[in-house]
């Protein structure tokens, strides 16, 4: 069975603000299945922004579980992420899910992996998906050489650079910032 996959998600914390964005491409085998998929979601009235990569159905399952954990732990994003990662490792059903998430609020940025890891990324840049290395490299260069740009501008440019290089990434971008 052919899976729908491939994406690029990039989040940056810069100068006291966070932005998270993703391209819109979904790939089925070697073909573009859809070019305007929305891979960024807002939770808790926009206070938390999430982006996902991997199998879409699996990502939505994880998103639902993450939202349940947020409700259980009084909107504490880091605690909810850790509890989700623990469940992900222990639960036989969840262990089979093939997805990753980046979650952000106005103060921090985290990567949640299917191996049970919750990572606070170096350099306050989080990137996942097929084009993640391109977006990550571009974001590092932008933070170093264009610090006058906003987090949102950096995410937009990093994703556009990834889309120029990676065949699994397109220029249909959605970029969101957590509500204050």
């Amino acid at each position: 069975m052919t899976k729908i996959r491939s994406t690029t998600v990039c989040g940056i914390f810069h100068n006291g603000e966070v932005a998270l964005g993703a391209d819109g491409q979904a790939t089925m085998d070697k073909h573009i299945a859809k070019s305007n998929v929305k891979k960024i979601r807002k939770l808790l009235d926009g206070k938390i922004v999430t982006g996902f990569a991997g199998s879409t159905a699996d990502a939505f399952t994880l998103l639902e579980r993450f939202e349940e954990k947020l409700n259980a732990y009084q909107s504490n994003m880091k605690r909810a992420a850790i509890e989700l990662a623990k469940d992900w490792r222990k639960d036989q059903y969840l262990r089979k899910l093939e997805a990753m998430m980046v979650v952000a609020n106005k103060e921090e940025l985290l990567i949640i992996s299917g191996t049970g890891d919750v990572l606070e990324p170096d350099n306050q840049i989080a990137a996942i998906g097929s084009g993640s290395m391109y977006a990550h490299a571009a974001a590092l260069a932008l933070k170093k050489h264009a610090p006058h740009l906003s987090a949102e501008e950096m995410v937009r440019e990093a994703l556009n650079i990834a889309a120029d290089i990676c065949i699994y990434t397109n220029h249909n971008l959605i970029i969101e910032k957590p509500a204050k």
Side-chain angles (χ1 to χ4, degrees):
M1 183 173 197
T2 303
K3 290 186 179 181
I4 295 176
R5 59 176 187 82
S6 300
T7 194
T8 303
V9 176
C10 182
I12 298 174
F13 188 94
H14 180 69
N15 289 339
E17 70 173 8
V18 178
L20 184 63
D23 76 310
Q25 185 165 304
T27 306
M28 187 181 299
D29 192 27
K30 296 177 183 112
H31 308 284
I32 297 169
K34 189 168 171 83
S35 64
N36 61 349
V37 177
K38 186 177 182 214
K39 302 166 193 168
I40 302 294
R41 298 283 189 270
K42 288 184 171 187
L43 304 174
L44 299 177
D45 297 320
K47 292 181 182 140
I48 294 180
V49 180
T50 67
F52 60 84
S55 168
T56 304
D58 292 353
F60 278 112
T61 298
L62 291 170
L63 192 60
E64 288 171 9
R65 294 284 182 112
F66 181 62
E67 196 164 21
E68 289 171 9
K69 296 295 182 187
L70 284 169
N71 291 329
Y73 294 100
Q74 295 77 42
S75 305
N76 182 326
M77 187 180 80
K78 190 179 283 185
R79 177 77 189 272
I82 290 166
E83 294 302 323
L84 174 65
K86 285 166 54 176
D87 286 356
W88 203 344
R89 277 190 82 113
K90 292 181 203 172
D91 186 285
Q92 285 185 331
Y93 171 72
L94 289 178
R95 266 192 305 219
K96 295 177 183 172
L97 299 181
E98 296 178 8
M100 292 181 74
M101 293 173 54
V102 175
V103 298
N105 61 21
K106 63 182 179 181
E107 298 154 354
E108 59 191 338
L109 188 62
L110 302 171
I111 299 171
I112 308 171
S113 79
T115 56
D117 295 315
V118 176
L119 305 170
E120 293 181 79
D122 291 339
N123 303 305
Q124 299 177 316
I125 298 168
I128 59 173
S130 302
S132 64
M133 292 302 109
Y134 306 114
H136 191 263
L140 281 170
L142 290 165
K143 279 191 90 156
K144 183 175 182 179
H145 298 290
H148 62 281
L149 295 176
S150 69
E152 183 175 356
E153 291 168 324
M154 287 182 179
V155 167
R156 183 174 314 285
E157 190 58 31
L159 288 170
N160 276 317
I161 290 168
D164 288 343
I165 300 168
C166 178
I167 63 170
Y168 297 110
T169 306
N170 70 16
H171 290 278
N172 292 341
L173 308 180
I174 293 178
I175 301 170
E176 298 283 358
K177 297 189 321 188
K180 302 259 179 195

